Each structure stands twice: as structure tokens, then as C-alpha cells.
Amino acid sequence: MLVRDAMSTVVLTIGPAHTLRHAARLMSARRIGAAVVLDPDAGGPGILTERDVLNAVGAGQDPDRETAQGHTTTDVVYATPEWTLEEAAAAMADGGFRHLIVLDGHEPVGVVSVRDIIRCWAASRERSRVLTG
């Protein structure tokens, strides 16, 4: 299976000036754990995750004053839709993160999470069990 089979194609994008509270509200409303941060001054898309927001709040920072820019991961590993799910899972395990931005060229076309990969693998196993069983 490929990343394109598992990724979410509806991507929440925010700007670097979004406050952490606003970003958290948007992620919560969509029941997702990451937002792609598009900053025209950066080299490529960054990612703000629920862990980034949690770490900031846990450190006593004000989510109404802190912006995505200060908490965005910019040294991002990007996937392509053609990566296998095994490649994506290995990148996540090696890097210690749970989300990958999926790029087609330089454009974000999706996000794939550990949960997305598990869902695909579980569904595939179930189909195999039904067919053989």
C-alpha cells in the first residue's frame, strides 16, 4: 500500500502568525493532530502538531500570545504519495514523529499519520482474513 492510500487529503493550513490557541481550535474542530504551516519566507511547509501546542502550554507559555511561527517544526521530512506505507512508518519511527506532510512537487497534497497507516494495515489484514478464512 502507498501513502496516497492512507493520507488525509483535506489539509489544515495555517500561517505563521496564527496563535497557538487559534491553531488548537482549528485542529480540535477537525479532529486532527497537525496543521501545515505555510510561510512564504520559509524554505517549505512546516508542521505544527498537538505535541508542539502541549509542550508550549506545559512550559507556561501563553497560547493567546505564542504564534505558530515560534513552535513550527521546519526541518520536516516530507513524503510523496508514491512512498510505501512501510517507508512512511520507518521515517516516522526513525524521526520520532507521528505526522508526515505529503508533497507533490512543492505543493502539500496531504498529511499521513501513524493512525492513518494503522487503519490501512488493519483493513488490509481484515480483508486478507476474510478472503482466506
Side-chain angles (χ1 to χ4, degrees):
M1 297 189 93
L2 301 177
V3 164
R4 85 175 90 224
D5 302 319
M7 70 184 192
S8 300
T9 57
V10 177
V11 179
L12 172 61
T13 59
I14 62 173
H18 276 79
T19 66
L20 294 184
R21 183 175 309 279
H22 189 201
R25 280 188 185 137
L26 293 170
M27 288 189 282
S28 179
R30 289 166 177 79
R31 300 179 52 93
I32 58 173
V36 174
V37 181
L38 298 178
D39 182 352
D41 297 328
I47 192 164
L48 179 75
T49 67
E50 58 200 354
R51 185 182 304 171
D52 299 323
V53 174
L54 184 67
N55 287 341
V57 172
Q61 296 175 327
D62 183 351
D64 291 314
R65 291 184 160 207
E66 293 295 316
T67 62
Q69 182 175 22
H71 300 276
T72 297
T73 301
T74 55
D75 59 337
V76 178
V77 175
Y78 302 107
T80 70
E82 293 77 29
W83 275 22
T84 65
L85 293 185
E86 289 78 9
E87 288 174 301
M92 290 178 191
D94 291 344
F97 47 83
R98 297 175 293 159
H99 299 86
L100 283 169
I101 299 173
V102 183
L103 296 182
D104 187 3
H106 297 289
E107 293 297 315
V109 294
V111 173
V112 65
S113 69
V114 170
R115 182 178 298 182
D116 295 329
I117 293 171
I118 291 170
R119 277 191 198 126
C120 277
W121 283 344
S124 178
R125 284 188 61 149
E126 181 62 22
R127 281 191 300 274
S128 294
R129 190 185 65 74
V130 169
L131 292 174
T132 61

